[in-house]
Amino acid sequence: MTTKLKAADVLAIGFMTFAFFLGAGNIIFPPLAGNLAGQSYMPAMLGFLATAVGLPLITIIAVAKAGGGLIAMTRFLPAMAATAMAVAIYIIIGPAFAAPRTSLVAYEMGIKPFLGDAANDTTLALYSVVFFIITAYFALSQGKLIDNIGKILTPALIILLVVLAIAVFIMPQGEIGLAREAYIDSPFTTGFLEGYNTMDTFASLMFGMLIINVLKSKGVTDKAGQFKYLVMAGSIAAAGLAFVYISLFYLGATSQSLIAVGADVNGAMILATYVQALFGLPGQYILAAVVTLACLTTAIGLASAVAEFFHELKPQWSYKMLVIINCIVCAIVANVGLSQLISISVPVLFAVYPLAIAIVALILLQERFPNPQFAFRFVMVVASMFGVLDGMKVAGLAMSGFDFLPLFDEGLAWVLPTALAIIISIVAMRPQANVSAATAK
């Protein structure tokens, strides 16, 4: 018989999930998007919320429905293809991009402003080492994860974020500015694509299984109970993320009088300048605390999830060893710098994000496919082909021959072909058994 969790435990798991998601990308991208969107910040924000809140929540639900992480969700794909996709996503969200970015953002916004001219490659390297030693310590205390994050770090983080959000709405530091760049003509689509940068849909594929393991440790062993509590935790996290994004978007939209966005300006600078205007030096300390806690909690979740995945893939590899190796690699990668890491990651995200969205759609529609194996393979091939096109376009490669594709100019060439592939898989395919019987006749 499964254990029924108390309300306090459900809230703790929800806060833990929220803390896992709230990291580097969640803090630095909304202010920049809001600044560029200006008077169009509402549609831009809705687009951003679609990919940075809606998709992660739907993905959590898909993970709960599948009863496991990527391996369970890709069971209809060829084994090698499913494993390769899972490994690629875990590397992207782990040591390649997302996890090192947490350290870089924490350094850029939480430490570097106080170092002044003393900030250099050496201080970045030392900070990265210390950051990931702390990450490894918390990730290694696997059994106490919910207590360490859900009940200790997160309440402090939430208090700091609430203070900042209230100040932004009560004391905006300027009028809402004009829309610029792509936000002039297509604010919703641009915001939608900007939400890719948070990588939270990938994170949901990882954190979903991690939360299921936490639920199992709490005595929730049946799938119905796990589904119920996982959806509740995901909903709490989604509500918290929406609150943060809305306040940061408004912050960005009212920041044009404080900072003019140019080639070298990023969301971290906008946020730091705004907080300085609001609170002065005490504001810098608040910002440093917010960013450090947010990035650290996300890094802990990522380190735990990556180690869990590879341990399940290769049981002979110990969880502790994987946590340590992952943190060492993250500390090394972090030394490339924040701007360089973001620029490298964007084309990869445009290429791989369609695969993650497609697998979520397939899981949610699974019962509607007469032939699930065909549907999964067909749709994933289509999504991957057009996702690669989008990635190549964003990378600046010459892709003029594909201009005829719908939504290609917006970086969403994968959407209509993938949707068409799903429709074909539903209405135009017969069950495998019927196909076999027809062939035999």
Side-chain angles (χ1 to χ4, degrees):
M1 182 176 179
T2 189
T3 300
K4 184 177 180 180
L5 297 183
K6 298 178 181 178
D9 290 327
V10 175
L11 284 174
I13 296 173
F15 289 156
M16 177 190 73
T17 308
F18 167 69
F20 283 166
F21 281 115
L22 188 65
N26 312 77
I27 290 176
I28 66 173
F29 292 114
L32 178 60
N35 183 287
L36 293 172
Q39 61 192 15
S40 298
Y41 84 96
M42 281 298 293
M45 183 176 67
L46 291 175
F48 189 90
L49 291 175
T51 43
V53 177
L55 277 176
L57 177 58
I58 293 171
T59 303
I60 285 283
I61 294 172
V63 171
K65 181 179 178 180
L70 267 172
I71 297 299
M73 296 173 75
T74 56
R75 63 186 180 276
F76 290 111
L77 298 177
M80 296 235 358
T83 301
M85 175 183 169
V87 169
I89 289 178
Y90 273 82
I91 289 176
I92 289 171
I93 200 73
F97 298 123
R101 191 176 66 183
T102 61
S103 169
L104 284 168
V105 173
Y107 174 78
E108 291 283 341
M109 298 178 66
I111 295 295
K112 190 175 180 179
F114 301 102
L115 295 178
D117 294 337
N120 53 39
D121 292 343
T122 301
T123 58
L124 173 60
L126 291 174
Y127 182 83
S128 300
V129 170
V130 173
F131 184 92
F132 284 107
I133 286 176
I134 297 172
T135 298
Y137 170 79
F138 279 102
L140 287 172
S141 61
Q142 188 182 14
K144 298 179 180 179
L145 192 61
I146 186 173
D147 297 319
N148 292 334
I149 297 177
K151 295 181 178 178
I152 298 175
L153 295 180
T154 308
L157 172 62
I158 291 174
I159 291 171
L160 292 171
L161 286 171
V162 169
V163 169
L164 177 59
I166 292 174
V168 166
F169 284 107
I170 292 179
M171 299 179 292
Q173 296 301 294
E175 299 294 328
I176 295 176
L178 299 175
R180 287 170 289 172
E181 299 183 8
Y183 288 97
I184 297 174
D185 298 322
S186 52
F188 180 87
T189 301
T190 306
F192 184 93
L193 295 173
E194 187 70 16
Y196 281 7
N197 287 314
T198 66
M199 304 189 200
D200 281 347
T201 297
F202 294 156
S204 292
L205 294 170
M206 300 172 61
F207 294 152
M209 196 61 226
L210 185 63
I211 299 165
I212 287 176
N213 290 336
V214 171
L215 291 172
K216 288 178 180 178
S217 71
K218 294 289 182 180
V220 182
T221 56
D222 68 300
K223 290 189 179 296
Q226 292 172 4
F227 181 88
K228 170 186 173 183
Y229 291 121
L230 191 54
V231 171
M232 292 172 68
S235 299
I236 293 171
L241 288 173
F243 169 80
V244 172
Y245 292 149
I246 290 170
S247 62
L248 291 180
F249 250 88
Y250 186 72
L251 180 152
T254 56
S255 68
Q256 288 187 13
S257 61
L258 293 178
I259 183 168
V261 174
D264 297 328
V265 176
N266 56 45
M269 296 176 185
I270 293 172
L271 184 55
T273 302
Y274 206 100
V275 171
Q276 172 69 26
L278 273 173
F279 303 112
L281 185 59
Q284 289 187 316
Y285 289 111
I286 293 174
L287 181 63
V290 169
V291 171
T292 301
L293 283 174
C295 293
L296 183 60
T297 52
T298 298
I300 294 167
L302 292 174
S304 300
V306 169
E308 281 282 355
F309 168 75
F310 283 103
H311 176 63
E312 290 183 4
L313 193 65
K314 293 286 185 179
Q316 62 268 34
W317 296 348
S318 74
Y319 172 85
K320 291 184 177 181
M321 176 195 73
L322 290 167
V323 167
I324 293 172
I325 291 175
N326 181 55
C327 288
I328 291 173
V329 174
C330 287
I332 294 172
V333 173
N335 285 276
V336 304
L338 181 59
S339 298
Q340 292 86 342
L341 192 64
I342 291 175
S343 64
I344 294 170
S345 69
V346 170
V348 177
L349 294 179
F350 269 69
V352 181
Y353 235 90
L355 293 177
I357 298 173
I359 198 67
V360 170
L362 288 166
I363 290 295
L364 296 177
L365 297 172
Q366 182 177 326
E367 292 79 7
R368 295 183 176 272
F369 297 123
N371 187 338
Q373 186 178 78
F374 170 84
F376 272 66
R377 297 183 182 197
F378 177 46
V379 172
M380 293 302 288
V381 167
V382 172
S384 64
M385 289 173 55
F386 287 91
V388 168
L389 287 180
D390 286 331
M392 293 174 68
K393 177 180 179 296
V394 173
L397 301 178
M399 304 294 294
S400 57
F402 295 94
D403 291 343
F404 68 93
L405 292 172
L407 301 178
F408 179 78
D409 290 339
E410 287 78 14
L412 293 169
W414 64 273
V415 173
L416 292 181
T418 304
L420 182 60
I422 291 175
I423 293 172
I424 291 173
S425 300
I426 293 174
V427 303
M429 295 304 302
R430 290 177 294 174
Q432 188 65 44
N434 292 347
V435 173
S436 300
T439 302
K441 291 181 181 178

